[in-house]
Amino acid sequence: MSAATRHGLSAALKAERSVVRGFARLPDSVVARLGRHAPVNRDGETLSPEIAVALRVMNRIPGGDFTQHPVEQARRMLTDEALVFADVFPDFAVEEDLVIPSAAGPIPATRYRATTESKGLVLYFHGGGWVLGSRVSTDSAVRFLALEAGVDVLSVDYRLAPEHPFPAATEDALAAWDFAVEHAPGWGLDPRRIVVAGDSAGGNLSAVLAHDLRGRDVVPALQVLLFPVTDLSTKHPSYAEFSEGFFLTEGHMDWYRERYLADPADALVPRASPLLAEDLTGLPPAYVAVAGFDPLRDEGIAYARRLEEAGVPTTLAREGALIHAFINITGVSRPAREATLRIASAITAAMA
């Protein structure tokens, strides 16, 4: 059962979803003609035609900028958008809502398993700038990974800012890890086959968690960092290149940063900006995926290079034709689906 089915869609959103799915079924030749003027970035990469067309439409919708609304409304807007683009899946063998205990209070989570067999566990942290997002908004992405990688996924609803600013989310990530390690045997899983993963802000939390766990007896088998935020202290060149018009904007990141960091000086703290950590040696192997048309592209590349320089086995997957958050549009974009299949393959390999 999908998140859209569980939580329902309004008539307007159902209509929008029908249009999106109809567009996704158009022949490639038609999509290519519609997107024949797709943007090309400074490195010569061309935006996927169907994404170029979708952005052209989305950028013309009035009132679509969540930063112009109260936080609670912005959260609803993100969830609605996620449900519109959600993929469709068969029934899962396990879909279990759980509560993770922590010193700050209970943390909601959901465990997914597609079939009766599982190779390991992915501990997943959603995106949304530490302000937006939830298990609902990331439901499609984690189901995709659970199904295609053949693993359990534990999706975590960590505390959000501005109600709970930095470092609350990082503390919840650590509590979720401890919970996963403790409960993995009861789920028939090896605690040494746990991958930490997340997209955008969730990629940031996964990177920070990998640092926090360094030196422990049980550490992640792999850290999967999808278009991650790695440096809140400055704006890398891709901010200027993709400031507007490519889904995630510079303005969005400013809005997120202001709400996540109660003290702006925290941007210099490595637990907020892992790229600023002095020592990256001894971290788990990493799979870092960046999108060709994303303000966060360059800081993701910079972090992957620093990991490599520190001797950490690192795969940098540069998905040049895609935009930020591509893992959420596998149902309507073939290139996004192919890129996410590569992520799932990396997770499967880490469980061997």
Side-chain angles (χ1 to χ4, degrees):
M1 185 184 296
S2 69
T5 302
R6 290 175 63 194
H7 295 269
L9 283 173
S10 67
L13 288 173
K14 286 180 180 178
E16 185 177 347
R17 189 177 189 193
S18 295
V19 170
V20 167
R21 296 202 171 282
F23 178 77
R25 290 192 291 268
L26 290 175
D28 290 346
S29 58
V30 174
V31 174
R33 284 200 302 274
L34 291 172
R36 61 184 178 277
H37 300 302
V40 179
N41 67 23
R42 291 174 185 170
D43 295 319
E45 296 164 325
T46 302
L47 185 63
S48 179
E50 76 270 20
I51 293 177
V53 175
L55 288 175
R56 205 176 300 153
V57 174
M58 291 178 66
N59 290 337
R60 293 176 181 173
I61 298 174
D65 185 354
F66 60 79
T67 68
Q68 303 305 310
H69 302 279
V71 168
E72 283 302 324
Q73 185 175 348
R75 288 171 180 163
R76 290 193 296 271
M77 290 171 68
L78 181 70
T79 298
D80 288 346
E81 183 178 77
L83 296 181
V84 166
F85 286 92
D87 213 334
V88 177
F89 300 92
D91 290 340
F92 271 41
V94 175
E95 185 177 341
E96 178 185 16
D97 290 336
L98 301 166
V99 175
I100 298 170
S102 79
I107 306 167
T110 298
R111 181 170 69 97
Y112 301 83
R113 179 183 292 183
T115 65
T116 56
E117 300 293 327
S118 178
K119 300 180 179 73
L121 175 66
V122 174
L123 181 63
Y124 196 90
F125 303 101
H126 65 77
W130 310 275
V131 178
L132 314 179
S134 68
R135 291 172 292 164
V136 178
S137 65
T138 202
D139 180 85
S140 180
V142 298
R143 285 180 186 273
F144 188 103
L145 294 178
L147 180 64
E148 299 297 341
V151 295
D152 284 25
V153 177
L154 184 63
S155 182
V156 181
D157 260 340
Y158 54 87
R159 286 173 291 166
L160 298 177
E163 299 94 330
H164 305 283
F166 173 82
T170 64
E171 294 168 350
D172 286 359
L174 191 54
W177 170 265
D178 290 339
F179 180 87
V181 170
E182 178 185 354
H183 287 78
W187 299 330
L189 304 174
D190 183 350
R192 298 187 182 276
R193 291 183 177 178
I194 301 178
V195 168
V196 295
D199 62 282
S200 195
N204 170 278
L205 296 178
S206 296
V208 171
L209 179 59
H211 283 260
D212 288 344
L213 296 172
R214 186 163 44 184
R216 285 206 184 183
D217 289 338
V218 180
V219 297
L222 179 71
Q223 50 178 322
V224 177
L225 314 180
L226 308 178
F227 31 91
V229 183
T230 67
D231 188 2
L232 289 171
S233 70
T234 189
K235 295 180 179 180
H236 292 247
S238 51
Y239 262 80
E241 186 174 0
F242 309 113
S243 176
E244 295 283 346
F246 295 95
F247 181 65
L248 179 68
T249 70
E250 181 179 7
H252 293 159
M253 286 305 302
D254 290 342
W255 190 84
Y256 288 141
R257 188 183 296 105
E258 290 167 3
R259 284 152 184 78
Y260 183 51
L261 302 178
D263 182 352
D266 284 339
L268 297 172
V269 176
R271 292 191 81 220
S273 298
L275 183 61
L276 303 186
E278 292 184 6
D279 181 13
L280 301 186
T281 60
L283 292 175
Y287 185 97
V288 183
V290 299
F293 294 78
D294 182 359
L296 302 183
R297 182 195 63 194
D298 290 354
E299 65 193 78
I301 293 173
Y303 193 66
R305 287 174 176 163
R306 283 213 54 209
L307 287 169
E308 290 174 340
E309 291 166 359
V312 177
T314 302
T315 298
L316 173 62
R318 180 162 177 154
E319 305 295 354
L322 298 177
I323 59 172
H324 189 81
F326 63 76
I327 194 173
N328 296 308
I329 58 172
T330 56
V332 297
S333 168
R334 183 178 300 170
R337 182 178 185 84
E338 292 169 350
T340 309
L341 283 170
R342 287 189 281 274
I343 296 164
S345 294
I347 291 171
T348 299
M351 301 298 184

